[in-house]
């Protein structure tokens, strides 16, 4: 693979269930991010990691957790899903050098019923 | 507070020129990005401005005025494939990005 991969691409989930969205990158980028995108709103940062072993809270962290055990993987977990977490989730990475542009995964569309 | 404003939707004609504006108020400034996002796809990087002035890249150009908190994306010789949403994002001093809601650009033949 080349780039950043997310799984699953789409999921329907019952409220109260636990769900983990997976994200893997092979670009050796230090920084990784999880965003949610909702209609009419800009991308909102959920959690981020500047380097393996560290994580931080973004704008909308409640109900979500992340881990960064190594450089490549950055899973996002919903401990007990609620309907307001229905959204499209994007994982992204950057190397923080030059422009520090973000590279995005293809997105995970999550529906919580 | 932090705020990024851009028009919700714009319509333009194939072959024409369109300018998408972005105004911002943020806590510090460390660069402004434009991304393109086709429906159902991930955003992809278009341009980056950190100094005032115009950056040209093929049919696309991006302008920045830091004193006015203003940027625009200029698309020339519009093609049908340019139909997409265009996202403006400002990187703050803490390296976090603040995103606008995006401008949906509709290209008509």
């Amino acid at each position: 693979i080349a780039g950043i991969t997310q799984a699953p691409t789409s999921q329907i989930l019952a409220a109260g269930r636990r769900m983990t969205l997976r994200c893997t990158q092979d670009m050796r980028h230090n920084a990784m991010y999880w965003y949610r995108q909702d209609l009419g709103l800009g991308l909102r940062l959920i959690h981020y990691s500047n380097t393996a072993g560290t994580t931080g809270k973004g704008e909308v962290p409640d109900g979500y957790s992340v881990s960064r055990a190594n450089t490549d993987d950055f899973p996002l977990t919903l401990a007990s899903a609620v309907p307001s977490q229905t959204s499209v989730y994007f994982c992204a990475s950057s190397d923080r050098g030059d422009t520090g542009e973000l590279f995005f995964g293809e997105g995970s569309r999550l529906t919580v019923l | 507070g932090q705020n990024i404003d851009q028009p919700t939707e714009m319509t333009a004609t194939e072959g024409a020129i369109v300018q998408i504006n972005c105004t911002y108020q943020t806590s510090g400034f460390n660069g402004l990005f434009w991304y393109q996002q086709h429906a159902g796809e991930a955003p992809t990087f278009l341009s980056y401005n950190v100094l005032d002035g115009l950056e040209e890249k093929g049919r696309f150009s991006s302008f920045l005025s830091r004193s006015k908190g203003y940027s625009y994306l200029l698309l020339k010789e519009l093609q049908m494939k340019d139909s997409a949403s265009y996202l403006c994002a400002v990187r703050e001093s803490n390296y976090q990005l603040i995103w606008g809601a995006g401008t949906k650009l509709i290209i008509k033949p």
Side-chain angles (χ1 to χ4, degrees):
Chain A
I1 58 169
I4 186 163
T5 302
Q6 291 183 231
T9 55
S10 181
Q11 182 76 44
I12 298 174
L13 188 67
R17 296 298 295 270
R18 181 184 179 88
M19 178 72 194
T20 295
L21 304 180
R22 300 183 298 279
C23 176
T24 300
Q25 55 108 355
D26 65 355
M27 297 175 284
R28 308 304 294 172
H29 286 169
N30 282 325
M32 296 188 75
Y33 312 85
W34 274 105
Y35 288 94
R36 60 178 291 173
Q37 188 174 42
D38 302 290
L39 198 64
L41 299 176
L43 287 162
R44 291 183 292 169
L45 183 65
I46 304 170
H47 285 286
Y48 66 93
S49 170
N50 289 331
T51 189
T54 69
T55 63
K57 294 181 179 180
E59 180 185 357
V60 289
D62 294 344
Y64 306 94
S65 63
V66 292
S67 61
R68 188 85 185 279
N70 56 62
T71 298
D72 298 344
D73 301 302
F74 191 45
L76 176 73
T77 297
L78 290 67
S80 179
V82 295
S84 62
Q85 292 178 311
T86 293
S87 187
V88 180
Y89 292 86
F90 286 102
C91 181
S93 70
S94 72
D95 64 5
R96 287 201 156 199
D98 294 330
T99 65
E101 68 185 87
L102 296 184
F103 294 81
F104 285 87
E106 291 303 306
S108 298
R109 181 174 296 275
L110 184 66
T111 302
V112 183
L113 302 177
Chain B
Q2 304 163 325
N3 194 46
I4 295 187
D5 287 319
Q6 48 181 136
T8 302
E9 185 174 299
M10 299 181 70
T11 302
T13 304
E14 189 176 16
I17 299 173
V18 70
Q19 177 175 311
I20 302 174
N21 296 325
C22 171
T23 58
Y24 63 89
Q25 290 179 304
T26 56
S27 302
F29 179 85
N30 194 13
L32 185 144
F33 295 82
W34 284 96
Y35 283 78
Q36 181 190 58
Q37 186 177 24
H38 286 101
E41 299 183 8
T44 56
F45 171 78
L46 283 179
S47 69
Y48 170 72
N49 295 68
V50 67
L51 300 176
D52 290 351
L54 188 68
E55 294 281 342
E56 297 187 78
K57 191 184 295 185
R59 294 189 299 113
F60 292 7
S61 303
S62 56
F63 172 83
L64 174 67
S65 169
R66 290 172 295 171
S67 63
K68 295 182 179 178
Y70 168 69
S71 173
Y72 68 72
L73 180 69
L74 191 71
L75 291 74
K76 303 176 185 176
E77 301 170 15
L78 286 169
Q79 301 175 10
M80 297 304 294
K81 67 178 182 179
D82 297 331
S83 291
S85 288
Y86 292 86
L87 314 180
C88 174
V90 172
R91 185 166 60 200
E92 299 188 301
S93 302
N94 63 0
Y95 228 83
Q96 298 301 332
L97 285 175
I98 305 299
W99 295 82
T103 298
K104 182 179 181 179
L105 179 63
I106 300 168
I107 309 296
K108 296 185 175 180

